[in-house]
Amino acid sequence: MNLKVLPITLLTGYLGSGKTTLINHILTNQKGYKIAVIVNDIGEVNIDAELIEKGGVVKEKDDNLVALSNGCICCTLKTNLIEQIAEIYDMGKFDYLLIEASGICEPIPIAQTIVAMNDMMHQEGLPDIVRLDAVISVTDSLRLVQEFGCGDKLLDEKIEEEDIENLIIQQLEFCDIVILNKVDEVSKDELGRVKAVIRKLQPNAKMIETNYAKVDLDEILDVKLFDFEKAISSAGWIQELEKDDEDEDGEHHHGEGEVLEYGIGTFVYYVRDGFNRKKFKNFVDNKWTKNIIRCKGVLYFSDEDNMSYMFEQAGSQKTLMEAGEWFVMLPKAKQDELRKMEPKLEKDWDEKYGDRMIKLVFIGQDMDEKKITEELNECLEK
């Protein structure tokens, strides 16, 4: 039985960002690793011909397997990722695993699956068999200039326009390393603006600038950077919320906006009153500006003040979903118990509103914070 812990690197990135080029680069310069690669669609991967052993393609009933001449393998992502990783582990032939997430796939569920494997082993009293080493977001500099620079949209036939920015943002928000690819295809000023946007969306990740995804493998393999708790809370909007928590003081308060280079800024809108539902919908539908790259937070409506809602916007896509009832709806004894147990809940508690609040983080370029704040204030129930 293979007793080694298998390190895993998860590669994410939108279609055409350079993930396959990076895989080719890793396989060509793998520094002695015997690497297994799980990809989404073997027909789209185009692993370089010279890396594929003659006659090395083995077609089985439920699987596609490409044996590579350097002792590595490449196979198609199955529905059950845990079983597939376990099969590769049990072979005992490989000491590294790359997983290429689909260009239209969110990285968090894949990371959760890998973490869950070890949780299942622990329940059986067994040691870890895998280790998620790092989540890498491969990012196309030129696409980001066009997506976030108010330029023409690049569309793929398989995906709706409003989903593109949403996916790029989610892939950037949950990663340990950003490989900023194709930097020679943009100007110095454009690159600076893109880096400023990335830093506001993802303040903690290591950023590597590349062309043709050429990167020193010591910078990306066996780097031991992944920590689920840190990764899930590393997004810029979360950090802006936490920063704003430290200095809240007003009844109708919004966090002082921070503006960095290239007009990339953030601010937190925070009030205790509820929105008028129709007015807020009108604001979202008719007054939202392209300058807002990312917005996320919690809110409630005056006609349904028992329910909290999570509002989320990335690019053109906006969603609103129920997030559970406010704690103020619980019996008084339960409220008091929770307030004693949760320091943050106690800090946020208001004698009139309980834990009800509207708190929205805005990240954008050249945003008119004053105007946005005034328009949101007009949405409040008077």
Side-chain angles (χ1 to χ4, degrees), residues 161-179:
E161 177 177 355
E162 65 266 17
D163 291 333
I164 298 175
E165 287 178 339
N166 186 40
L167 281 163
I168 291 173
I169 288 168
Q170 289 191 12
Q171 290 165 353
L172 284 170
E173 285 183 336
F174 188 84
C175 71
D176 304 295
I177 299 172
V178 176
I179 292 185

Side-chain angles (χ1 to χ4, degrees), residues 277-289 311 316 318-319 379:
R277 193 183 298 267
K278 289 182 179 179
K279 289 179 179 178
F280 180 69
K281 184 177 186 304
N282 180 60
F283 169 78
V284 171
D285 291 344
N286 301 314
K287 298 182 180 180
W288 202 272
T289 69
F311 176 78
S316 303
K318 306 175 189 75
T319 58
C379 296

